[in-house]
């Protein structure tokens, strides 16, 4: 993820990661969430529906809360339902999305208006530029076949080596 200067003092385009959680997808409010983010002027760059999510991916995503008592329950919840993974771009998008997400008890925020369960909170948004980059890399690995599979190719023993093995 690169930041792009818009030529104005303090104006920098950023990218952030947004995960629309299973409770929002199942209730049919994912479109409302995407609209609220877009209405604020943030640009939807990429959106993928994941009918299910591998629990290992969820554990990697939430590794920063692995010692919390709700970690396993949260991973189970995310991996047992459909989610939308998205990349949004905009000026100060990381903090802007976090402000729009808000807290469940704050009316006017996404969570305040759309959460209807004490535990589940409809949306995740990156909390820093650094975490946005790592979350984007985790959920949207490169589309380049070579870089996507390089780690795997190095990790397994090639039983029928090609003449190009030294390039791996």
């Amino acid at each position: 993820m690169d930041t792009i200067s818009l030529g104005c003092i303090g104006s920098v385009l950023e990218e952030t990661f947004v995960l629309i959680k299973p409770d929002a997808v199942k209730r049919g409010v994912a479109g409302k969430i995407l609209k609220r983010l877009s209405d604020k002027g943030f640009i939807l760059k990429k959106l993928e529906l994941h009918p299910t999510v591998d629990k290992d991916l969820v554990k990697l995503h939430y590794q920063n809360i692995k010692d919390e008592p709700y970690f396993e329950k949260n991973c189970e919840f995310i991996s047992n339902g459909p989610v939308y993974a998205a990349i949004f771009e905009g000026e100060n998008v990381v903090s802007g999305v976090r402000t729009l997400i808000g807290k469940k008890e704050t009316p006017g925020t996404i969570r305040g208006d759309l959460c209807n369960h004490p535990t589940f909170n409809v949306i995740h948004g990156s909390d820093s530029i650094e975490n946005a980059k790592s979350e984007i890399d985790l959920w949207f690995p490169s589309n380049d076949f070579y870089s996507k599979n390089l780690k795997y190719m190095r990790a397994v023993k090639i039983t029928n080596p090609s003449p190009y093995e030294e390039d791996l």
Side-chain angles (χ1 to χ4, degrees):
M1 174 183 59
D2 296 319
T3 55
I4 302 164
S5 173
L6 296 176
C8 304
I9 297 175
S11 297
V12 176
L13 284 182
E14 302 169 346
E15 289 182 344
T16 196
F17 175 76
V18 170
L19 184 70
I20 300 176
K21 297 180 180 181
D23 53 334
V25 177
K26 288 176 183 175
R27 287 180 37 228
V29 298
K32 287 182 181 182
I33 292 170
L34 293 169
K35 182 175 182 339
R36 286 179 73 166
L37 296 171
S38 295
D39 284 349
K40 189 68 175 177
F42 301 131
I43 298 162
L44 179 62
K45 287 188 67 181
K46 196 163 202 176
L47 179 69
E48 287 183 1
L49 172 64
H50 296 260
T52 59
V53 181
D54 182 77
K55 198 169 186 178
D56 290 335
L57 173 65
V58 177
K59 285 183 174 186
L60 280 173
H61 177 85
Y62 285 112
Q63 65 187 345
N64 62 322
I65 61 164
K66 66 182 177 203
D67 297 327
E68 297 293 339
Y70 54 86
F71 174 74
E72 283 298 327
K73 187 176 183 180
N74 189 51
C75 290
E76 190 69 31
F77 166 65
I78 299 295
S79 62
N80 278 322
V83 299
Y84 281 103
I87 301 172
F88 275 89
E89 179 183 74
E91 186 176 335
N92 301 313
V93 72
V94 174
S95 62
V97 166
R98 294 289 292 186
T99 299
L100 285 174
I101 289 173
K103 297 182 177 185
K104 287 188 250 185
E105 60 274 1
T106 308
T109 66
I110 292 171
R111 286 182 177 160
D113 294 347
L114 299 177
C115 286
N116 67 355
H117 190 277
T119 305
F120 308 126
N121 59 17
V122 303
I123 187 171
H124 162 84
S126 302
D127 61 2
S128 69
I129 293 172
E130 295 77 22
N131 284 343
K133 178 166 179 22
S134 64
E135 291 171 353
I136 288 168
D137 289 346
L138 182 65
W139 286 84
F140 296 96
S142 170
N143 288 329
D144 174 41
F145 177 83
Y146 179 76
S147 53
K148 215 171 150 178
N149 293 291
L150 182 59
K151 269 192 210 175
Y152 174 76
M153 290 186 290
R154 285 184 175 159
V156 297
K157 290 190 177 196
I158 301 173
T159 56
N160 196 4
S162 77
Y164 305 105
E165 183 182 16
E166 63 274 2
D167 292 338
L168 300 176

